[in-house]
Structures are given as C-alpha cells and as structure tokens.
C-alpha cells in the first residue's frame, strides 16, 4: 500500500473483497446534529432521521497490508 505525502493511506480499487491487516488507533467520534445530517444527505438518506448527535467508529490508520 502506498502512502501519500500528506499521511493518507491509498488502497487500490481492486482490493475490494480482500483481507487486510490495518494498524492504527481505533476510537469513537461524536458528530453534531448538523454534521450528521450533512453526512446522511451525502449518503442519500433522509437527514430528518437524524434527531441528535451520532457516535461513529473511526481508525487513524498508519498502515495497511493487503493479504
């Protein structure tokens, strides 16, 4: 996996369905209502379904190895 100069891991598009080992820090993030509604709209969902803050899981990745 290549690493871009601004610390983003680039995973090939043909990696879909492959196993991977990911290294990094796993954490939760709480999105405010406005941000969560924005993400819902971007995903094609009804933003009106967001009624409060949303907690999501995230990984600050520092490495990816495709198997």
């Amino acid at each position: 996996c290549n690493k871009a100069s601004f610390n983003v891991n680039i995973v090939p598009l043909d990696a879909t369905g492959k196993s991977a080992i990911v290294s990094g820090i796993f954490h939760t993030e709480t999105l405010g209502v406005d941000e969560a509604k924005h993400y819902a709209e971007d995903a094609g969902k009804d933003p009106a379904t967001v009624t409060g803050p949303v907690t999501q899981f995230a990984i600050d990745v520092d490495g990816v190895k495709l198997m």
Side-chain angles (χ1 to χ4, degrees), residues 1-52:
C1 172
N2 297 329
K3 201 168 205 179
S5 62
F6 46 87
N7 241 8
V8 173
N9 285 281
I10 310 288
V11 178
L13 292 175
D14 65 354
T16 301
K18 293 184 179 177
S19 295
I21 297 173
V22 179
S23 172
I25 305 293
F26 184 82
H27 59 94
T28 59
E29 297 175 339
T30 301
L31 303 177
V33 175
D34 290 340
E35 188 175 17
K37 285 184 177 196
H38 176 78
Y39 285 160
E41 192 172 12
D42 284 352
K45 298 179 181 174
D46 181 3
T49 61
V50 178
T51 58

